Structures are given as C-alpha cells and as structure tokens.
Amino acid sequence: MVVLARTMYGEAPGKDPAELLDAARFPTAGHLEEHLLAGFVPAVYRRRAPERHEDGRGQRSWDPDRSERWLGYLAHSLSRGATGRRDLAWWRLGHTLPTPTRILHVTLVSALCMAAATWLVQLLALPSGVLGPMGLETVVLQGALVGVLTGAAFGIAYSVLTVFSRAPAVPSRVRLRLPAADRRVGRRPVRAFTARFGFMMLGGSVLGVGYAWAVALLRALDNGLPLWKTAMARDTLVNMPVFALIFGLSSGLVFGILAAFEAPMDITAAATPLRLLSVNRATAGQQILVLVPMLTAGIAVCGYAVTGLLQGLVGPLLWPLEGALLIGAVAGLGGSTSYVFAFSAWGQWLTLSRVWLPLTGRLPWDTAAFLEDAYRRGVLRQAGAVYQFRHIRLQHHLAHAYRHRG
C-alpha cells in the first residue's frame, strides 16, 4: 500500500496525499486500500512525455481506460474456475474462452486452412492439365466445399478431444534423436506414439469422411444431378470408408511418429515469457516443414495399401499416382497448417490471443507488447515463463472491477 500511495501521489502531478487523511471519505482501512488499488493502474498509464528504457527502446503509449479493461480481463480469466490462479501464461489465454467458442474457432481456422491449401495446390496444378477440363470456377467451388466440410470435421474432432482432456496445449519442442540414456525414456516415445495415433486416427477418419462428401457434392453440382441418385449415392458410400481409412491411417502414423520426437519444454527453466514464445514459434515452423511432406507421402502410400486391400470387397477402386499426390498435397498442406494453427500452443496463441480476443475488445492487437509493457510499468512481474500481477490484491481488484463493468 505504501508503494501504491507513492506511485499515485509521488509521480502524478496535482495530487495531494493529504486527502488520504480524510476520515469522512475513507472511514476504514478497506476504503483506503480500495482507493489506492483503483488509482494505481490509471497512475502508471497516465499520458506523459516519452521515456526510454535502459536498452534504448521508447516506452509505448497505451490508453489508460483500455489498458485497465484489458488488465481486468486478464485478472478475470485467472479467477475463473473453482480455485483461482496467479500464473498468467500466454498459452492459456485462449483456453479461458467458453468451449463452444473454442470449437467454433477450430472449425473456422481449419476451414480457412483447408480451403487455402485446396486453392493453392489446384491453381499450381491447373496449367499442367492434371485436373483435366476443370476451370477456375470449379477450383474455387471445390476449395470452398472442402474447407466447409473438413472444417466441420476438425470441429467434431476437437469436440471429442475436449471431452477427454480439458488441459490446454502446452509449449513443446522437437528433438532430432530419441534419448537412450535412461531405460524409462525408451517407453515414452511408444506411449506418445500410441496416444497421438489413436486421436489422430479418429481425426483423420472424420476428415476423410468430410473430404468424401466434398467430392460428392462437387460431382453433383457439375453433373446437375441430385446427390441421392443411385450411382452417386453408391460412390459416396464407398468413398466415405475408403477416404476415412486412408486419411486416418496416414494421420495416425505421421502424427504418432512426430509425437515420439516431441518433448514438453521445461517451462520453469525458461528465462522469460517472450523467449519461450519465440522458441515455440520456431517449433511450429519446424512442425509444418516436417508434416507437409510426410502427410503427402503418407496419404499416397496408405492410399495404395487401402485400395489394394479393399479392391475385391467394394468393387474396382482407382488410385492413380497423380491424383494421389494431388490429394496428398492438399491434405498434407491443409491438415498440417490446421493442426499447427488450431491445436498447438503457439497456433492458439496466434489465432485466439492475437486475433479473436482483440476483435472482441478483450485484449490489444499486440498482446505480447502489452504484457511486456505492463511488466516494465510494474503492474506485472515475471516468474520464469509466466507473468503474475504484482500483488494478489491488485489481481482481485481488477477482476472485480471488470465483472462490475459487465
């Protein structure tokens, strides 16, 4: 409280600390403390002459009212749940949103990634004649259909994931070799592979069903025939399990292998939150570079295996090399970016904390800069890889004020 009083009255011009002795205005110690807590954030964010830090960078100017509202939202997000938290971790900011909102976020992000991948791959393949007489309008329509239906599939897969695990995604790193120094370490890649294989098998199967429906709808629109036409309905019923097996097996194998090479980062050993964010951003880039070619090749190879096994059971199945690579490239690029942007810690930070929450006014657009500036102003403190409010009373006050403003 002495520090709050010094900040309010020692650094702000025109403020007389003698008003703190007004017993009619502050009849109890609680009234006095609430007054100091309420005036701290406006005091440190008041408009002043530009200052420079020790590293030579200028201090950024933030609107005091908006800053107080943003800090209030952060404090409110920490107080949600049966027991409040103190650690303000950047990878948990999006996890405080309601579950339906996060499912909608995964659906939209995945739909955009899959649609963009379809457009990019087919536009690059269009001049070569691999797509046949397909025109630009058909490419645009197919990308939109693939995006909508596969995005819905990713949303369903994420809904299933939230039922079994409510923990947020944590920062991870990719190691280039399996450690063998400890006997117990040898079991960890196997457990990681098995757990990731099961979930991604389910996600890939749902994705394959969505892709089969996108192909069926596109054929129906091209031919001008209803989808329930006998031949088209039969082809769709065949394509659904075939694509589900191809996409499910390839996704399970590829992501399972990647999980064996992933290791959760030692968050407590991270120097600063921004350093951990930078390392995890590099990991996300590595994952995309590894996943795209692996998924492309995996879908092509698994397609040959699945169509060969089911050839006599469901009728003649075609899996030409050019079409296999085309489908593999679309699914590899779209599935990899969807996974990184919608399911990884850095991807959720980027799409939720840097886009979704700023769009709704709950956080600024440059969230990382705002958190770092709040640390420099003394509102937050750093505890390794996380931030904390400088005092639990300040956190509770900001959370209460945020809820009171509605």
Side-chain angles (χ1 to χ4, degrees):
M1 293 301 160
V2 172
V3 173
L4 298 184
R6 177 180 179 179
T7 302
M8 285 182 60
Y9 295 96
E11 300 180 7
K15 299 280 289 186
D16 186 2
E19 66 181 12
L20 298 176
L21 304 178
D22 189 349
R25 184 179 176 186
F26 308 111
T28 64
H31 290 84
L32 192 63
E33 291 174 0
E34 287 300 318
H35 168 70
L36 294 175
L37 289 168
F40 174 68
V41 172
V44 296
Y45 279 96
R46 74 184 187 279
R47 293 179 174 85
R48 64 182 77 183
E51 299 179 359
R52 288 198 171 272
H53 301 294
E54 296 178 357
D55 55 8
R57 292 183 298 175
Q59 188 176 47
R60 186 168 177 176
S61 178
W62 301 91
D63 181 79
D65 294 334
R66 291 184 176 181
S67 300
E68 189 171 10
R69 185 172 71 249
W70 296 330
L71 291 169
Y73 172 75
L74 294 174
H76 169 69
S77 66
L78 292 177
S79 64
R80 298 184 62 180
T83 57
R85 302 191 315 271
R86 295 208 62 184
D87 292 344
L88 187 61
W90 56 262
W91 60 92
R92 288 201 193 107
L93 293 181
H95 198 72
T96 59
L97 291 169
T99 301
T101 303
R102 288 186 280 119
I103 294 175
L104 177 61
H105 151 260
V106 170
T107 303
L108 292 177
V109 170
S110 303
L112 288 175
C113 290
M114 290 299 300
T118 304
W119 290 328
L120 178 61
V121 172
Q122 293 195 349
L123 286 176
L124 292 176
L126 198 59
S128 64
V130 176
L131 301 177
M134 183 181 294
L136 183 60
E137 297 82 1
T138 307
V139 171
V140 174
L141 178 61
Q142 183 170 357
L145 288 175
V146 170
V148 170
L149 294 174
T150 55
F154 273 106
I156 294 172
Y158 185 78
S159 303
V160 176
L161 177 63
T162 56
V163 173
F164 294 98
S165 175
R166 296 185 178 273
V170 296
S172 62
R173 62 183 174 89
V174 177
R175 57 191 176 210
L176 299 179
R177 60 185 179 87
L178 297 177
D182 190 353
R183 294 179 180 178
R184 295 173 300 174
V185 174
R187 304 190 190 98
R188 294 173 189 168
V190 176
R191 289 198 298 266
F193 174 85
T194 305
R196 186 72 63 85
F197 178 85
F199 170 70
M200 294 310 299
M201 176 73 180
L202 172 63
S205 300
V206 178
L207 179 63
V209 172
Y211 190 85
W213 275 102
V215 173
L217 288 175
L218 183 65
R219 288 178 179 174
L221 293 174
D222 282 343
N223 299 328
L225 296 175
L227 189 59
W228 54 88
K229 200 74 173 178
T230 304
M232 297 190 64
R234 185 178 64 250
D235 291 344
T236 305
L237 291 177
V238 171
N239 283 341
M240 286 170 59
V242 171
F243 276 120
L245 283 174
I246 294 173
F247 282 58
L249 286 174
S250 57
S251 299
L253 290 173
V254 170
F255 281 95
I257 293 173
L258 183 66
F261 284 88
E262 282 183 358
M265 299 188 67
D266 187 3
I267 298 174
T268 59
T272 64
L274 294 185
R275 174 59 182 166
L276 180 62
L277 180 62
S278 175
V279 171
N280 205 234
R281 180 171 57 245
T283 299
Q286 294 171 2
Q287 288 175 331
I288 291 179
L289 292 177
V290 171
L291 284 173
V292 171
M294 288 184 66
L295 274 177
T296 302
I299 289 173
V301 173
C302 287
Y304 277 109
V306 171
T307 54
L309 291 174
L310 300 180
Q311 193 67 243
L313 297 177
V314 297
L317 298 175
L318 300 178
W319 192 252
L321 178 60
E322 294 179 347
L325 293 177
L326 191 66
I327 295 176
V330 170
L333 181 60
S336 302
T337 53
S338 297
Y339 168 77
V340 170
F341 288 125
F343 292 91
S344 68
W346 177 81
Q348 292 180 2
W349 153 265
L350 179 67
T351 54
L352 289 174
S353 303
R354 296 296 306 272
V355 178
W356 189 284
L357 291 174
L359 276 176
T360 56
R362 283 173 273 192
L363 286 179
W365 286 103
D366 196 347
T367 308
F370 176 73
L371 293 174
E372 188 67 13
D373 182 77
Y375 161 69
R376 293 179 180 272
R377 294 175 187 265
V379 181
L380 301 177
R381 63 185 181 189
Q382 288 183 2
V386 299
Y387 293 100
Q388 293 177 345
F389 283 91
R390 64 175 299 156
H391 198 277
I392 191 65
R393 286 291 307 276
L394 178 63
Q395 175 183 325
H396 290 167
H397 171 81
L398 290 172
H400 176 75
Y402 179 83
R403 290 191 294 267
H404 182 70
R405 285 194 298 264

